[in-house]
Structure formats: C-alpha cells, structure tokens
Amino acid sequence: MQSNRLEGKTALITGATSNIGRAIALAYGAEGARVVVSGRDATRGAEVAAASGGTFIAADLDGSPQASEALATAATDALGGRIDILVNSAATYPSSADVVIDEAWFDRMFAVNVKAPHFLIEAVAPRMAEHGGGAIINLGSWVARLGVPSPVYTGTKGAVEAMTRAYSALYGPSGVRVNGISPGVIQEPGNPSAVMMRGTPAADLGTPEAIAPAAVYLASDESAFVHGIVLDVDGGRTGVAVIAA
C-alpha cells in the first residue's frame, strides 16, 4: 500500500536494473520519491524507470573516481539539483563456483563492490550536507559475518559494512545519515537453492521485495535517529540456529 513516506525526496539507486536494486527502486517510486535508476542494461533500466516513474541513467561503475563522479553529476541534474537518498546496491561476484579468482577477478570485485560506492559517496555526501542532510544506504551481505568459502566477495562486503560505520562517523555530524542493509540468501538468477537457509527461522530463500521495506525505512524520516547500523534482513541466517526436534 502506498503511503508516500518518501514524498518530495529524490533518490539515486545503483544496480537498480535487477534484483534488490530493482525492488528498492520500485518501492521508492511507490512511496513518492523521484528516482534515478542506474545500471548497465538499458532495456531493463528503461523498464524499471517506467515502472517506478523515474529516469534511467546508464553507468558502468568500474571503481574509478571518474565513473562515480559522472553518475553523481548526471543524477543530480536529472533530479533537479539535489540527491536526498543514495543507495549503493551495485555489486559483482562470480556466476559460478568454478570461476578462478585470479588477480583480475580480485581487482574487479574490489573495484565494483568497494571503490565504486566509496567514490560515489565522496561525490554525493558533501552535496547532501550543503542541502541540509540526506540518507545513504549501502548493501552488505550475510556472508560478511558468517564464514563461507568465498573469501574475496566476502571481503568486499565486509569492507562495505565496516566503511558504512566509518562514513556515518564522518558525515553524520553534517546531517547525512549512513546506514547499511545485510540481506540474507535471496532468490535471484544463479541462486536457485534454499540449502543455505536450512536451520534458520525463515527456512527458505528471501525475495528482493523483502529487502525493499528496510531501504524505505532507512531513507525515511522515521529513521532520523538511526546512524551507522547494518540492518540484518536475512531470515535469521546470521543470528539464529533452529534446532530440529
């Protein structure tokens, strides 16, 4: 049900052409925000932009300051001169366990998953502060706190969650709230199995739509006193063990 919790706010969402980013873009649009949908796939981006009432801006966030700054500038222009909400959802990871994580893959994952959001925050947060404040939401992952045999991807998400707290300390005094969301195992292409959710209260995969309400909350005025958290929306994956009778 639409409640206009984000009425009058503007939002830039990276990785918004699919999965969690897409669900957040649709939820923000439904709550009254003006949305910039960002990603690499123009066809999917146009679909999400149309469904959210927003604008699609193509961007390949390769980790360079130039790419992040260019997106920040283009989104600011498209949103009428200000960005109130930034969601860093774009990320990359191997599509198969058989992929060899050589130096090129290592560098790519840290570039896209860590450097790109860093430089985007550095481009957006000072402008938010000049306009009186804003909200930044970084997407972490349950793997950052529960050891799985994927050390490089896990390392990138651990870095994002740690930097979220550091960014909060840096920009919070200027009125920019920085928080994170740690999704559990989510239904998406290439992840069809619920095996990793066995022994949890949810006992099944989550959906992108299950993550979006947390992003609405952290972007809204309801979370005005919330700074530097990483909110687990993971079906109990990292915090609860269900013991079978």
Side-chain angles (χ1 to χ4, degrees):
M1 178 182 296
Q2 182 174 338
S3 60
N4 294 322
R5 293 159 74 191
L6 302 180
E7 184 72 31
K9 296 184 183 294
T10 61
L12 166 60
I13 305 164
T14 71
T17 60
S18 64
N19 300 322
I20 293 174
R22 178 183 184 276
I24 293 173
L26 296 179
Y28 279 11
E31 292 288 351
R34 293 175 58 196
V35 176
V36 162
V37 172
S38 177
R40 293 183 298 171
D41 190 306
T43 300
R44 294 190 311 202
E47 178 269 323
V48 179
S52 64
T55 303
F56 172 66
I57 296 178
D60 185 2
L61 296 175
D62 58 5
S64 67
Q66 294 81 6
S68 292
E69 290 166 4
L71 175 58
T73 298
T76 299
D77 291 343
L79 293 170
R82 62 184 294 163
I83 297 171
D84 299 315
I85 305 160
L86 167 64
V87 180
N88 283 306
S89 181
T92 189
Y93 52 89
S95 59
S96 168
D98 296 330
V99 172
V100 176
I101 306 301
D102 57 12
E103 185 176 13
W105 251 113
F106 185 103
D107 290 345
R108 173 168 172 73
M109 278 196 279
F110 269 89
V112 174
N113 298 2
V114 182
K115 290 177 65 179
H118 163 73
F119 287 118
L120 196 51
I121 290 171
E122 289 298 318
V124 170
R127 302 179 195 180
M128 286 180 169
E130 289 175 3
H131 287 100
I136 296 173
I137 302 165
N138 299 318
L139 270 293
S141 173
W142 66 278
V143 302
R145 272 161 290 134
L146 185 65
V148 297
S150 180
V152 181
Y153 178 72
T154 296
T156 67
K157 288 303 184 177
V160 166
E161 294 194 6
M163 289 195 301
T164 294
R165 293 181 283 272
Y167 291 135
S168 178
L170 180 61
Y171 291 114
S174 300
V176 180
R177 296 185 301 105
V178 186
N179 293 291
I181 299 172
S182 178
V185 190
I186 302 300
Q187 294 174 0
E188 58 185 336
N191 188 19
S193 175
V195 64
M196 292 303 294
M197 291 300 290
R198 291 178 183 169
T200 69
D204 201 355
L205 300 176
T207 66
E209 291 73 24
I211 309 302
V216 171
Y217 166 69
L218 290 175
S220 73
D221 294 338
E222 297 168 12
S223 60
F225 200 53
V226 180
H227 290 261
I229 71 161
V230 177
L231 179 59
D232 293 334
V233 188
D234 65 0
R237 173 67 277 176
T238 59
V240 183
V242 175
I243 306 301

